[in-house]
Amino acid sequence: MFSAFLHFDISFMVWVILGALAPFIMTDAGLTGENLQVTPSAAITKAGQYTLVVKAADPAKHQPGNVYNLLIKPGAPGVATRSSVKPVEAFVVNNADPATLDAVNARSRLIHVQLGSGAKGNPNENVVPLSPMSTLVAAGHSSQPVANGYPSSTKLTLIGIPLLAAGFWRIMIGILVDRLGARKVGIASLFVTLLPLLLGWQSATSYGMLVCVGIFLGVAGASFAVALPLASRWYPPEMQGIAMGIAGAGNSGTVLATIAAPLLAQRFGWHGVFGLLAIPVALTLVIFTLLAKEPPRTSPPLRAVDFKAVLASTDLWRFCLLYFVTFGGFVGLSTFANTFFVDQFDAPKAAVGLWTWPFIVAGSLLRPVGGALADRFGGLRMLTILYGVVLAASVGVALFVHSFPATCLLLLFLMGALGMGNGSVFQLVPQRFKNEVGVVTGLVGAAGGVGGYYLNFALGHLHDATGTYASGFVAVGAITIIAMATLKTAPNWSAIFSEPSRRLAPLPVGTPAASMD
């Protein structure tokens, strides 16, 4: 159990690293190019005196999409980003209209701005602590850069690449686990996980290279297909929910990445974080190799005809949809959280993880609770309740997306319900597919990763289309309704799964649920 938990925990830390570092990556002028060059005036005499906040057009003020806002607020970013702190200078700028830049330079007593050599469109939303000229000169600079902007769809698509890639890797690794064993495949996957970390550390200097890094980060997301069979095959049916929940709670690695990665990026740069992350992965590789034991095999590896029977099972695809919503929602929102709070509430980039970790903890710690309650009351019954909570909370976030307290409270309920839903889904899976748990967990887990990608994809594209993240949360509610309908319409599931797991026997591969009348 410890080996499964550790493998999952460290792998998840790696898997979500792009999301944790996104506020730094997307505001790195060395990656995106310089949009603006900001030169401080003599009125700025010390660090932390003023902060420049770059904001996109405000739909509430009916600003056109081709403008942006420059706000200069007193204090360091941790203070200046509070809504109660009012700007001492504010400008509406359009880079295509030189007169708006001239107006900034004519009116501001604190900064002088000019377009960067690689300026494209408007700058990215950003929070820039203004440094005195003496500090810049000492570092060999004459101005501070503001990065070119990526549309939300571009930012969130990149964040979602590791989640989508994990879908492919999980299927492959699930097959290998069934044939070679979880321990051997787990060792190999940790070794491969070191590759994207080294690439991110030394070679990630373009968006295309980051996409390549993201594809191989998906191997870490495939840990699901290693850790859960490694844990589940040691325990009887009546303990499947709690066993799978504890092993799956290793996704608490997302919490460590969310908190630590931005703080480390502030100190060592976001490239350096990739290098630092290789250290715990290497240590985990050694520990896993020494401690992990191959679980007892209850059946021979699946043959091609068996795979065909598994794929032909409609129950498999129903589980994929259920997990698409629960795990896709959890990991998708986990990777999105840092970007959301920076964009929506001007959270400081370095400290944003301290804003978002409670939501991820809620989902991580409540996963085994969901499994245990599913063991006690039935997985189907628990999922019905939890999807109702997800629906209400996601629509609530959409309605109150501009309210920080309301958004935080609703996100706690949303992430907690998604985490418990993850445990409840996998309380059901081993009962239905006991002898094929490796390949089935790989397929169902793949659907969860794909769900996380499409959540980010939808949030980004809907934000570009509507100017608000609220539309993305409405989409979360819509797909949840489909999952709820799946629970209600699956043939005989209420008779098969609603009772506690200790009373159930697994169905043979290829047996349709409807045959249990």
Side-chain angles (χ1 to χ4, degrees), residues 329-354:
F330 170 77
V331 75
L333 290 175
S334 296
T335 55
F336 167 66
N338 282 8
T339 295
F340 174 65
F341 275 86
V342 169
D343 288 355
Q344 187 69 32
F345 299 111
D346 295 326
K349 289 186 295 183
V352 65
L354 300 175

Side-chain angles (χ1 to χ4, degrees), residues 349-410:
K349 289 186 295 183
V352 65
L354 300 175
W355 292 38
T356 59
W357 69 266
F359 314 115
I360 302 170
V361 165
S364 297
L365 294 186
L366 289 177
R367 178 175 180 136
V369 175
L373 290 176
D375 282 339
R376 177 68 180 84
F377 300 108
L380 190 63
R381 185 177 296 131
M382 284 299 303
L383 282 172
T384 301
I385 297 170
L386 292 170
Y387 282 134
V389 176
V390 170
L391 174 60
S394 57
V395 173
V397 173
L399 293 173
F400 299 102
V401 72
H402 296 294
S403 169
F404 180 76
T407 296
C408 289
L409 180 62
L410 289 163

